[in-house]
Amino acid sequence: MAELEKNANGEVQAPEMSEKELNQLLQVRRDKLAALQAEGNDPFTITKYDVTHHTSDIKENYAELEGKEVSIAGRMMSKRVMGKASFCNILDLKGNIQSYVARDDLGEEEYKGFKKLDIGDIIGIVGTVFTTKTDEISVHAKKITLLSKSLQILPEKYHGLTNTDTRYRQRYVDLITNPESRDTFIKRSKIISSIRRYLDTQGFMEVETPMLVSNAGGAAARPFETHFNALDEDFKLRISLELYLKRLIVGGLERVYEIGRVFRNEGLDTRHNPEFTLMELYQAYTDYHGMMDLTENMFRHVAKEVLGTTTIVYNGVTMDLGKPFERITMVDAVKKYSGVDFKEIHTLEEARKVADEKGVHYEDRHTKGDILNLFFEDFVEEHLIQPTFVMDHPVEISPLTKKKPDDPEYVERFEMFMNGWEMCNAYSELNDPIDQRERFKAQEEMFAKGDEEANHTDEDFLNALEIGMPPTGGIGYGIDRLCMLFTDSAAIRDVLLFPTMKSLD
């Protein structure tokens, strides 16, 4: 069997080995566990361990803790045995710290037990805080307890878990071996907590709405479908939070929001996962301008609280949330970047002609408004690096939005862009039930022509509108995309703890 190699620091690292050799090493760990159990020292019978400090607490408060006893617990990531004295490194939630372990402090038998521990074992250490001769803050161990035996072998610590596919499938190993991954998910949690705190201060109430629905509306997307055996009915997984949250506005809950999973039966790429985290909020007695102000203030608040700055750097590109966000209409943005002014285009034939001239691909079912949106996607989006509100979309692509009173071909809607990405989508919500029914009818006609992402008529939602919904502003945010920007993560899978993966089978 291949011998384990040591690096310059005397730390063990796993060389390339055959499956037989690996199985032999794994068997050694199981044999150690069996020996412990035979001696009445089964680590899996331990139910709790009192922890007084995390590793970073000790380092940050060294002046107060020097010479005092602490109790820490975590995973042993390295071990150096040097006769009567040894060192090991412990990883916990907040970081890692070195521990000095001496035979004279532990006693002969406990020290022998320590030397048999493996990298990856979870241990508890009681000891005093001190600094070594090299000025490294450490814990001088007085007692060591094996809390859980690791029966697998971790990736070599200096290279970590580098295979991207394995990192996503075995996120638990990724979190152990790659500190930057752990930091990303800690920051993600802080981002969501910061959003909640901000909305709570603005008088919003957090609510929960159904994930299994009979009519998956509120967005243009294909739903996942399932069958509910108890009712013998087909259901869908929600693609949006919108229609139920608006029902709550009808019910008099004037400011509501929900952060939750939605599901869209679409492809996988660096910015899309079939299940993702969406936040939607609705506020009575305001409009899409109110949603712009709220969004600008909230993004700025979260950046300051989580990152300590309003300047974000993503893939080397700097974006400034501290400056007022640009506001531009979709028509003006298309004119700016394509040279085509849709104010001068009045018919579908004219829109198709200019699309042909500019090489914009469209389908027979597409309306003039659809073609305007295609121009926006082809010519504009990639240029919207700094925070930008793109306003006043065509009515054809906005079935749940109020029309502009002075220009009914367009609606009171905006999308916010950063880094060329859509970050959120907001409306002055349509609250006219008669108009809404006509919009649903148009969507049904589009579905009949082959648009699988078109909305279907929701009679209960129409009934709610007939009860009466006040003027309302609403918005949806892609939380995962926000986390990507704030953590400088290249792909959405890097900010999802357990992204969707194709089965290995």
Side-chain angles (χ1 to χ4, degrees), residues 281 286-296 299 325-330 376 387-394 397-398 401-402 404 410-417 422-429 473-477:
L281 63 85
T286 190
D287 62 1
Y288 74 144
H289 292 291
M291 292 295 100
M292 287 186 221
D293 294 339
L294 183 147
T295 298
E296 189 166 341
F299 270 60
F325 296 6
E326 181 182 358
R327 303 186 182 197
I328 187 171
T329 67
M330 179 177 280
F376 177 77
T388 303
F389 293 121
V390 176
M391 308 178 295
D392 302 350
H393 295 50
I397 63 169
S398 312
T401 316
K402 275 192 174 184
K404 293 180 67 64
Y410 297 92
V411 295
E412 293 191 350
R413 173 184 174 187
F414 75 81
E415 293 171 295
M416 177 194 158
F417 284 81
E422 178 199 336
M423 302 301 297
C424 61
N425 184 23
Y427 311 151
S428 294
E429 302 296 337
I475 190 166
Y477 302 88

Side-chain angles (χ1 to χ4, degrees), residues 85-365:
S86 303
F87 287 92
C88 66
N89 193 277
I90 305 302
L91 174 72
D92 67 10
L93 172 67
K94 296 184 179 180
N96 63 82
I97 198 166
Q98 176 179 263
S99 180
Y100 171 71
V101 185
R103 184 188 67 181
D104 293 343
D105 297 307
L106 263 61
E108 188 77 34
E109 290 305 311
E110 277 202 40
Y111 190 63
K112 284 182 180 178
F114 167 77
K115 290 197 292 184
K116 292 179 181 178
L117 295 178
D118 292 306
I119 304 303
D121 286 350
I122 297 174
I123 62 175
I125 297 177
V126 175
T128 54
V129 178
F130 79 111
T131 54
T132 64
K133 293 178 181 179
T134 57
D135 293 327
E136 183 171 353
I137 297 173
S138 308
V139 175
H140 189 148
K142 303 300 181 184
K143 182 175 178 57
I144 294 180
T145 304
L146 176 61
L147 302 174
S148 183
K149 184 68 185 169
S150 175
L151 300 179
Q152 281 286 354
I153 297 175
L154 293 176
E156 189 270 303
K157 74 175 236 182
Y158 288 99
H159 297 115
L161 183 60
T162 55
N163 182 281
T164 302
D165 187 77
T166 306
R167 286 182 62 195
Y168 298 148
R169 293 183 187 277
Q170 298 183 23
R171 182 67 81 187
Y172 42 91
V173 181
D174 178 41
L175 293 171
I176 293 167
T177 58
N178 293 319
E180 67 280 1
S181 181
R182 178 184 297 228
D183 291 343
T184 291
F185 290 105
I186 290 173
K187 192 171 288 181
R188 178 190 173 105
S189 178
K190 290 179 178 178
I191 289 167
I192 294 173
S193 295
S194 181
I195 290 171
R196 282 193 167 103
R197 277 192 295 274
Y198 178 78
L199 292 178
D200 290 347
T201 65
Q202 302 300 307
F204 282 85
M205 179 171 68
E206 185 172 10
V207 297
E208 294 173 311
T209 60
M211 291 189 181
L212 280 175
V213 296
S214 57
N215 186 346
R222 291 177 60 188
F224 288 92
E225 299 182 1
T226 187
H227 186 75
F228 191 171
N229 292 332
L231 296 179
D232 193 23
E233 290 183 14
D234 291 332
F235 276 73
K236 300 177 177 66
L237 290 174
R238 67 185 182 187
I239 61 174
S240 170
L241 312 174
E242 180 168 348
L243 300 186
Y244 279 99
L245 291 177
K246 285 182 178 178
R247 287 169 166 91
L248 299 181
I249 295 292
V250 170
L253 304 183
E254 295 179 0
R255 299 188 183 202
V256 294
Y257 75 96
E258 181 174 6
I259 299 174
R261 289 290 214 197
V262 296
F263 309 86
R264 299 182 181 180
N265 200 349
E266 299 171 343
L268 291 163
D269 60 33
T270 57
R271 283 186 281 163
H272 296 89
N273 195 71
E275 60 172 311
F276 61 97
T277 302
L278 182 65
M279 182 180 82
E280 292 195 29
L281 63 85
Y282 293 85
Q283 179 180 341
Y285 311 114
T286 190
D287 62 1
Y288 74 144
H289 292 291
M291 292 295 100
M292 287 186 221
D293 294 339
L294 183 147
T295 298
E296 189 166 341
N297 292 331
M298 185 179 74
F299 270 60
R300 200 168 289 139
H301 164 87
V302 174
K304 285 180 180 177
E305 192 167 271
V306 176
L307 305 178
T309 177
T310 56
T311 301
I312 296 172
V313 179
Y314 182 84
N315 195 27
V317 177
T318 300
M319 288 159 275
D320 190 356
L321 292 167
K323 297 178 180 177
F325 296 6
E326 181 182 358
R327 303 186 182 197
I328 187 171
T329 67
M330 179 177 280
V331 169
D332 287 344
V334 166
K335 180 180 179 181
K336 179 178 179 180
Y337 292 104
S338 75
V340 176
D341 186 356
F342 270 76
K343 289 180 182 176
E344 303 301 322
I345 296 174
H346 304 290
T347 65
L348 175 58
E349 290 70 26
E350 290 173 345
R352 287 176 172 175
K353 179 181 178 182
V354 74
D356 292 337
E357 292 171 354
K358 290 288 187 175
V360 174
H361 175 72
Y362 58 88
E363 299 176 21
D364 289 342
R365 62 183 174 86

Side-chain angles (χ1 to χ4, degrees), residues 364-495:
D364 289 342
R365 62 183 174 86
H366 283 148
T367 65
K368 188 184 83 168
D370 290 312
I371 293 174
L372 168 60
N373 191 52
L374 293 171
F375 266 82
F376 177 77
E377 292 173 352
D378 286 358
F379 289 99
V380 182
E381 285 188 4
E382 63 181 324
H383 298 288
L384 303 179
I385 304 303
Q386 298 303 317
T388 303
F389 293 121
V390 176
M391 308 178 295
D392 302 350
H393 295 50
V395 67
E396 295 94 333
I397 63 169
S398 312
L400 299 167
T401 316
K402 275 192 174 184
K403 296 176 183 176
K404 293 180 67 64
D406 58 346
D407 194 354
E409 286 190 18
Y410 297 92
V411 295
E412 293 191 350
R413 173 184 174 187
F414 75 81
E415 293 171 295
M416 177 194 158
F417 284 81
M418 287 179 65
N419 193 50
W421 301 351
E422 178 199 336
M423 302 301 297
C424 61
N425 184 23
Y427 311 151
S428 294
E429 302 296 337
L430 178 60
N431 62 344
D432 179 345
I434 298 172
D435 190 356
Q436 182 64 79
R437 182 174 292 279
E438 290 301 312
R439 307 276 192 98
F440 276 141
K441 182 180 178 181
Q443 289 284 301
E444 295 283 9
E445 291 172 356
M446 290 170 62
F447 181 80
K449 293 178 180 178
D451 185 355
E452 294 181 343
E453 296 183 348
N455 280 228
H456 293 284
T457 304
D458 188 328
E459 289 293 346
D460 183 72
F461 176 65
L462 288 170
N463 183 66
L465 290 187
E466 289 179 357
I467 295 292
M469 186 174 84
T472 298
I475 190 166
Y477 302 88
I479 296 296
D480 306 308
R481 207 168 283 183
L482 174 63
C483 291
M484 286 176 64
L485 275 186
F486 277 30
T487 61
D488 197 10
S489 298
I492 191 171
R493 290 181 177 185
D494 295 324
V495 297

